[in-house]
Amino acid sequence: MTINDYKFAGKKAIVRVDFNVPLNDKAEITDDTRIRGAVPTLKHILDEGGALIIMSHMGKPKGKVNPKLSLGQIKDAVAKALGVAEVKFAPDCAKAQEAAAALKMGEVLLLENLRYYPEEEGKPVGIEKTDPAYEDAKKAMKASQKEFAKTLASYADCYVMDAFGTAHRKHASTAVIADYFDADNKMLGYLMEKEVQAVDNVLSNIKRPFVAIMGGSKVSSKIGIIENLLGKVDKLILCGGMTYTFAKAHGGEIGNSIVELDKLDVALGVEELAKKNGVELVLGVDSVVTDKYDFASASLLEGATVKTVESNAIPEGFEGLDAGEKSRELFAAAIEGAKTILWNGPAGVFECDDFCAGSRAVGDAVAKATAEGAFSLIGGGDSVACCTKFGLTDKVSYISTGGGALLEAIEGKVLPGVAAIKG
């Protein structure tokens, strides 16, 4: 069943979205990308004559009520995005039976944060995995998770999964709930369909040359996707903090730069696999470094020295925070002429203007290649933030709303949120 085939008239649809949007200290939304991404699905249901029950999580309340993570703070923003006068709010997602029953066609009900209940994630709380009683607690929680999902399902006639950002988790609202709807009454929303198609374009409908750019601080968190990509791409650019693990693996001096000393052999293994598969591996050769930087405020400290040095010759007391000019030129040259591009992770601490030039160079090169006909998929919160900061959101092919979900999909893993619908 697809959202276009389903007849929503007279039906109540419960839709899992990802409204985990950032809020400032005034509870104002600072980036509404995720809300805007879900609008086409939500408006379609309303336009077809149905009623909407929207559910989402926000932050990590860890099974406890936290007013700072209440979805009640965004209901007016959701109403504005949908163009409706009011979005009703159920302050307890597991006790919304009356609100759901009273909902009329054309109306919208937003449920409170799903993760106020530990049953949403289905993990035992207050007990360590090493505890002998953990397995029994796990089984009990899984049973409770099914009951929680059954309660959510009871509010509606059909279920729509449109939260790609959580599709890699087998949570009550993203996968288990689907068990309580037959095949004719559960479907993927427009956003999910677009996300799945975007991944398919990158992995199954490859136009070459295929260039992947992987940034971020740790090799360990990306090793699965890196190894999978080395069997698919023509060029792989590795940038950001992982640069220094590779430099250290070859005996380089990296000062105070971030490094995974227990992953030096992994870095060398990546280089060998790239060589074996005939993949051009592109690593930064120089870095912009400083001796005084405050990560909490994303700013240089007074009296800081900023300079560019070779990535394998960083002085003691300095740390690399961005790609140098030579590295930027290498990255841009590797991206030029690409026909398929995947970008996940920045080339430096882009939040600070002093260290955003590397990420900007990557973004500009991706945008240029896209204008020349490449399909570019941007994924991961930091990469998306880069595009927003540099004004590139309309200059790339597709910006994914999922971070971990996108990586797992590209790694070749089955996403529970997709499997629950497709069977």
Side-chain angles (χ1 to χ4, degrees), residues 207 209 335 337-341 365-377 395-398:
K207 293 181 180 178
I335 295 167
K339 293 303 177 187
T340 303
I341 302 170
V366 171
K368 183 174 183 290
T370 305
E372 294 172 354
F375 176 83
S376 53
L377 171 57
K395 298 179 181 179
V396 296
S397 303
Y398 190 77

Side-chain angles (χ1 to χ4, degrees), residues 123-138 141:
K123 297 177 183 177
V125 292
I127 184 170
E128 298 295 328
K129 289 185 178 181
T130 53
D131 192 311
Y134 179 80
E135 285 304 316
D136 287 339
K138 184 179 178 181
M141 176 54 77

Side-chain angles (χ1 to χ4, degrees), residues 208-337:
R208 299 189 180 279
F210 179 9
V211 179
I213 307 123
M214 302 299 295
S217 59
K218 296 181 178 180
V219 179
S220 58
S221 64
K222 301 281 178 77
I223 188 59
I225 187 171
I226 287 173
E227 290 177 343
N228 189 52
L229 286 171
L230 285 173
K232 301 179 183 296
V233 301
D234 299 293
K235 300 177 184 179
L236 176 61
I237 298 171
L238 296 180
C239 54
M242 67 176 81
T243 298
Y244 308 109
T245 296
F246 281 85
K248 190 68 175 178
H250 287 282
E253 296 297 328
I254 60 170
N256 293 351
S257 303
I258 188 170
V259 64
E260 291 180 285
L261 294 175
D262 61 336
K263 294 293 184 291
L264 302 185
D265 58 334
V266 172
L268 295 174
V270 166
E271 293 183 354
E272 284 300 313
L273 185 58
K275 188 182 299 181
K276 178 182 177 182
N277 290 353
V279 175
E280 181 183 338
L281 188 63
V282 183
L283 290 162
V285 295
D286 62 345
S287 298
V288 181
V289 303
T290 187
D291 56 347
K292 294 178 181 179
Y293 183 77
D294 179 36
F295 283 91
S297 62
S299 62
L300 286 167
L301 297 174
E302 186 175 349
T305 297
V306 178
K307 59 184 178 179
T308 300
V309 299
E310 299 299 302
S311 295
N312 60 0
I314 299 175
E316 192 63 39
F318 283 78
E319 61 181 323
L321 295 182
D322 195 14
E325 187 174 348
K326 292 178 183 176
S327 298
R328 293 172 222 154
E329 292 174 355
L330 280 175
F331 298 161
I335 295 167
E336 186 175 4

Side-chain angles (χ1 to χ4, degrees), residues 123-194:
K123 297 177 183 177
V125 292
I127 184 170
E128 298 295 328
K129 289 185 178 181
T130 53
D131 192 311
Y134 179 80
E135 285 304 316
D136 287 339
K138 184 179 178 181
K139 289 180 182 177
M141 176 54 77
K142 289 299 179 184
S144 296
Q145 185 185 47
K146 289 182 179 179
E147 286 303 311
F148 181 63
K150 186 177 181 180
T151 296
L152 296 173
S154 71
Y155 301 155
D157 302 300
C158 61
Y159 167 64
V160 181
M161 172 57 175
D162 210 29
F164 185 72
T166 58
H168 59 312
R169 306 298 188 196
K170 193 172 183 179
H171 290 173
S173 67
T174 62
V176 183
I177 188 175
D179 293 341
Y180 299 97
F181 293 91
D182 61 38
D184 291 334
N185 289 291
K186 57 184 176 182
M187 66 218 79
L188 298 179
Y190 288 132
L191 182 60
M192 283 290 294
E193 289 180 347
K194 285 170 64 178

Side-chain angles (χ1 to χ4, degrees), residues 53-102:
I53 300 170
I54 303 172
M55 56 180 175
S56 177
H57 74 282
M58 180 179 280
K60 298 179 179 180
K62 298 181 179 179
K64 297 179 180 179
V65 174
N66 182 344
K68 291 183 179 180
L69 298 176
S70 173
L71 287 171
Q73 301 172 98
I74 68 169
K75 70 183 187 70
D76 290 341
V78 174
K80 183 177 180 181
L82 292 177
V84 296
E86 177 192 19
V87 166
K88 299 177 185 298
F89 183 65
D92 188 330
C93 61
K95 297 177 181 178
Q97 290 89 347
E98 288 186 12

